[in-house]
Amino acid sequence: MARAKELLAGTRRLVALTGAGISTDSGIPDFRGPKGVWTSNPGAERTATLAHYLADPEVRRQAWRNRLGSPAWTALPNADHRALVDLEHQGRLATLITQNIDELHQRAGSGPKRVVELHGTMRDCLCWACGDRRPMGAILDRVRAGEDDPSCELCGGILKSATISFGQSLDPYVLRRAHGAAASAEVFFVIGSTLGVQPAAGLVTVAVEAGAKLIILNAEATPYDPLADLVLRGAIGEILPPLADL
Ligand code: NAD
């Protein structure tokens, strides 16, 4: 903790990369942790795979049921999200790259321009055919009213949340921003991710090769731990808030 505090206190170019683990204290389960959605139900991964989603109406119906029942709609930011807001207000956090789709960083008070949402947001919905984008709430109202696989009101195309599914490319502009931030980081701080998804996890290598000090905070080991200057193994809620109290 002392060494981590020293690294954070001494930088004005901290870049954080967060994963699902920072939102578990808000009641949103992660995917691959011990209580993760996919750990307990490996079949659920199909709904997050683009090819299955586009080809199979039953996968879409399941995905709409999952969206409707997501705990993320009522989740509130927790002390870990707020700790990153503190680091931003202290002038230390330059960019917050997140793999999360729940927008809890922005709701906690992180500057929207500093947040790079690598995997998009669950709070918008996109037509796969014409690109029409609108808030997810309006489409979920249609699901509640009985449509089990709602289609685009403009063109009849398939609707999907504005998130990145497996087999789908990341937005090149968003990826370039994340790359640029990682390459200019003095300290790169990974929080709550298994670092099992590319290209997000590869940002760690970009940062380290550009000379950043690497801190990884997660309950479990990650494949990038050997590259880290510091590995903090434990509960984020017990480690991050006191670390950010500089
Ligand atoms: P992951 O599920 O692969 O890994 C989360 C890691 O966090 C696990 O190693 C787990 O042990 C650890 N963890 C969970 N709670 C913790 C805590 N309180 N303290 C310490 N460690 C904790 O998550 P990932 O690497 O972000 O990849 C999952 C993908 O799924 C991402 O692409 C993301 O888009 C998506 N996802 C997002 C959300 C969300 O927006 N909240 C939730 C689930 C999945």
Side-chain angles (χ1 to χ4, degrees):
M1 284 293 279
R3 175 73 182 128
K5 260 196 153 162
E6 203 178 294
L7 283 176
L8 295 183
T11 184
R12 304 242 140 219
R13 282 207 319 276
L14 169 68
V15 175
L17 170 64
T18 63
I22 199 167
S23 291
T24 55
D25 284 343
S26 295
I28 306 175
D30 59 19
F31 279 172
R32 299 180 192 78
K35 295 183 193 152
V37 175
W38 296 347
T39 312
S40 39
N41 178 12
E45 199 164 343
R46 272 178 75 80
T47 57
T49 303
L50 185 65
H52 294 312
Y53 188 90
L54 295 180
D56 186 346
E58 189 41 50
V59 169
R60 291 200 292 281
R61 285 193 277 271
Q62 182 60 51
W64 284 110
R65 286 193 292 272
N66 294 349
R67 285 178 193 129
L68 209 53
S70 170
W73 300 117
T74 50
L76 297 172
N78 63 52
D80 312 330
H81 299 104
R82 287 192 292 274
L84 291 175
V85 177
D86 289 346
L87 287 168
E88 179 180 333
H89 289 171
Q90 293 160 14
R92 297 189 161 88
L93 183 74
T95 306
L96 204 181
I97 306 169
T98 187
Q99 299 170 84
N100 293 347
I101 56 174
D102 55 29
E103 292 191 20
L104 288 186
H105 287 303
Q106 296 92 321
R107 283 170 188 232
S110 286
K113 290 193 178 144
R114 286 192 198 270
V115 180
V116 180
E117 290 179 311
L118 269 184
H119 296 162
T121 172
M122 61 183 285
R123 294 181 192 270
D124 280 342
C125 188
L126 265 182
C127 172
W128 197 250
C130 73
D132 182 55
R133 183 175 182 128
R134 53 185 75 194
M136 180 59 93
I139 315 296
L140 288 182
D141 285 344
R142 290 170 55 193
V143 180
R144 275 186 210 99
E147 290 183 61
D148 58 3
D149 180 18
S151 54
C152 175
E153 282 176 325
L154 301 184
C155 76
I158 291 174
L159 293 180
K160 187 176 101 54
S161 66
T163 54
I164 303 293
S165 300
F166 285 104
Q168 183 178 352
S169 302
L170 271 65
D171 179 325
Y173 169 73
V174 172
L175 188 56
R176 250 196 327 273
R177 265 192 79 199
H179 228 270
S184 66
E186 217 164 44
V187 178
F188 196 77
F189 192 2
V190 179
I191 304 162
S193 174
T194 48
L195 293 175
V197 177
Q198 296 292 351
L203 293 170
V204 172
T205 318
V206 172
V208 169
E209 284 178 355
K213 298 281 185 202
L214 174 63
I215 309 175
I216 297 180
L217 164 55
N218 200 47
E220 301 175 288
T222 84
Y224 291 83
D225 289 0
L227 285 184
D229 294 276
L230 267 179
V231 175
L232 301 167
R233 187 74 52 75
I236 299 168
E238 287 169 16
I239 296 174
L240 186 57
L243 261 190
D245 184 14
L246 291 164

